[in-house]
Amino acid sequence: MADLPFLRRIAALAAITTALLLAACSPSGKEQAAPAAPPPAVQAPAPAPTAPARGIELPSFVKLVKQAGPTVVNIGAIQKGKASGLRRGDPLYEFFRRFGGVPDTGESPTLSLGSGFIISQDGYILTNAHVIDQADEVIVKLTDKREFKAKVIGADVYTDVALIKINANALPVVKIGDPSKVDPGEWVAAIGAPFGFENSVTVGVVSAKGRLLPNGSFVPFIQTDVAVNPGNSGGPLFSTNGEVIGINSQIYSETGGYMGISFAIPIDIAVGIAKQLRETGKVVRGYLGVQLQELTQDIASSLGLKDTNGALISAVQRGGPADKAGIKPGDVVVAFNGQPVQTTADFARLVGETKPGTSVSMDVLRGGKKETVKVTPGVLKG
């Protein structure tokens, strides 16, 4: 049996060795308490849901159609005793022309269709001159299905504007807008009767303004991509706020139908024509006896001009008002009667609106210098 003191010394030595080993495991030389349990993680709030991305929001024309629709009328122009049953411009004319030929109905009356819109509560209506051209009888149909025989107050072939009247009162009236406040790219709407489909609505955008077409017209047309077809002629072109800014008048087409380009007469020009037609039954406009040419960058540079604003006089009629005032070919008109001239369309319109016999000032660029001349427009005939 082992000596008891010896065993006690061995046990004490083992205890000391264990304590030294434990001390070596601790950086501070002391025993460390077991680390406290980490606090529960705070969960971050879920991000607020984001609204889905929105594309371009298209305008709604529902309110416009409800309010302005009753102001638009359908117009039937009747010619009595004509040899052909259908005229160019009739909704069925192009159909028969392309599929079998235009039928000849002998001496029966012929009917062409168009549109118009009411501008006064007592029955004055604006439309196109070509809609009622050579008509023996004009019938107006309202949206409430009432029909009236209309009286032709007058028509102007140069602007293609006509004024007619029906015997009615308390009629809904369009709101007249300002075409100068409408820019290319803005939405517009047309209401009319394409191919006889009454009160049809088509929409698009303004493509360009101030288009001067090669047809001798004095009108700086509003160009749009609104679908306009035979039967729409004479109908209103509306801005998105429900105001009329033009009269749908022409389309560019190789088929007789819509091909993406249509033209409207600015309403301010039409209203001015209507005023003269209502007062005198005809339109009297001024003329100078000049031929105009649009300025290009090359022409402007050759004339020493900084930009292409203005109307270039390319020819002067001998003995005409411009000739008497000393206007010369090569002059560039930049202002007429105090109004700026940026294009030939501007100049043609301003001259046409001037009362014949009225002396007005005209600013021209000649030889790189600005000069002011006095000119008295004559009466445009024809």
Side-chain angles (χ1 to χ4, degrees):
M1 186 171 179
D3 185 14
L4 182 58
F6 176 77
L7 292 176
R8 287 178 177 173
R9 290 196 298 270
I10 294 298
L13 181 60
I16 294 172
T17 302
T18 301
L20 292 173
L21 291 174
L22 290 174
C25 293
S26 173
S28 61
K30 299 180 180 180
E31 291 186 19
Q32 291 184 334
V42 178
Q43 189 173 8
T50 58
R54 300 179 66 183
I56 298 176
E57 186 174 351
L58 301 181
S60 171
F61 292 91
V62 174
K63 183 178 179 181
L64 183 155
V65 174
K66 288 182 178 180
Q67 293 181 347
T71 67
V72 183
V73 303
N74 301 323
I75 297 175
I78 301 172
Q79 285 184 295
K80 299 178 181 179
K82 302 300 179 181
S84 176
L86 295 173
R87 292 193 305 161
R88 184 179 298 275
D90 187 283
L92 296 178
Y93 177 91
E94 185 63 25
F95 175 83
F96 284 110
R97 185 187 71 80
R98 297 178 64 187
F99 302 100
V102 180
D104 186 351
T105 56
E107 296 298 318
S108 62
T110 62
L111 173 68
S112 63
L113 301 177
S115 303
F117 52 97
I118 306 168
I119 61 172
S120 70
Q121 291 185 329
D122 57 347
Y124 282 94
I125 296 169
L126 274 178
T127 186
N128 283 149
H130 76 261
V131 169
I132 52 91
D133 181 40
Q134 299 180 14
D136 297 304
E137 188 175 345
V138 177
I139 303 298
V140 171
K141 183 178 180 181
L142 307 184
T143 55
D144 61 9
K145 307 304 180 183
R146 287 186 294 166
E147 293 188 2
F148 298 87
K149 186 176 180 179
K151 176 183 178 181
V152 176
I153 304 301
D156 179 48
V157 296
Y158 287 102
T159 56
D160 196 24
V161 173
L163 182 68
I164 62 177
K165 189 180 186 305
I166 60 176
N167 187 19
N169 292 293
L171 296 174
V173 178
V174 297
K175 296 179 181 178
I176 302 298
D178 184 356
S180 67
K181 296 182 179 179
V182 180
D183 295 318
E186 291 192 36
W187 285 92
V188 285
I191 303 179
F195 298 104
F197 294 104
E198 301 177 358
N199 301 106
S200 296
V201 183
T202 53
V203 301
V205 299
V206 175
S207 304
K209 295 171 63 178
R211 290 293 196 207
L212 192 61
L213 303 183
N215 57 3
S217 172
F218 284 87
V219 177
F221 286 97
I222 302 170
Q223 179 186 329
T224 76
D225 68 352
V226 177
V228 172
N229 283 288
N232 274 114
S233 293
L237 181 70
F238 290 100
S239 64
T240 53
N241 59 9
E243 296 178 340
V244 176
I245 60 168
I247 304 177
N248 296 308
S249 175
Q250 301 186 39
I251 59 175
Y252 179 86
S253 176
E254 296 179 352
T255 65
Y258 171 71
M259 293 184 66
I261 300 178
S262 54
F263 299 96
I265 305 162
I267 192 61
D268 52 346
I269 293 177
V271 168
I273 296 297
K275 183 176 184 294
Q276 289 195 56
L277 292 175
R278 186 170 180 175
E279 293 174 352
T280 65
K282 61 180 181 179
V283 176
V284 178
R285 54 171 49 88
Y287 98 105
L288 291 181
V290 297
Q291 291 183 5
L292 304 177
Q293 182 176 346
E294 203 73 45
L295 275 174
T296 65
Q297 191 63 54
D298 289 342
I299 295 176
S301 297
S302 67
L303 295 175
L305 304 180
K306 297 179 180 179
D307 51 45
T308 58
N309 291 333
L312 175 62
I313 305 294
S314 59
V316 178
Q317 179 186 4
R318 182 175 297 178
D323 185 31
K324 294 178 180 178
I327 302 299
K328 301 176 181 179
D331 287 348
V332 176
V333 183
V334 293
F336 185 85
N337 198 21
Q339 299 295 315
V341 173
Q342 294 185 328
T343 65
T344 56
D346 291 338
F347 185 51
R349 174 178 58 83
L350 291 170
V351 173
E353 292 175 351
T354 303
K355 184 178 180 180
T358 303
S359 177
V360 297
S361 62
M362 187 165 73
D363 294 341
V364 300
L365 299 177
R366 178 182 298 167
K369 298 181 179 180
K370 186 175 181 180
E371 297 185 18
T372 300
V373 298
K374 289 289 186 178
V375 61
T376 303
V379 178
L380 180 66
K381 299 179 181 179

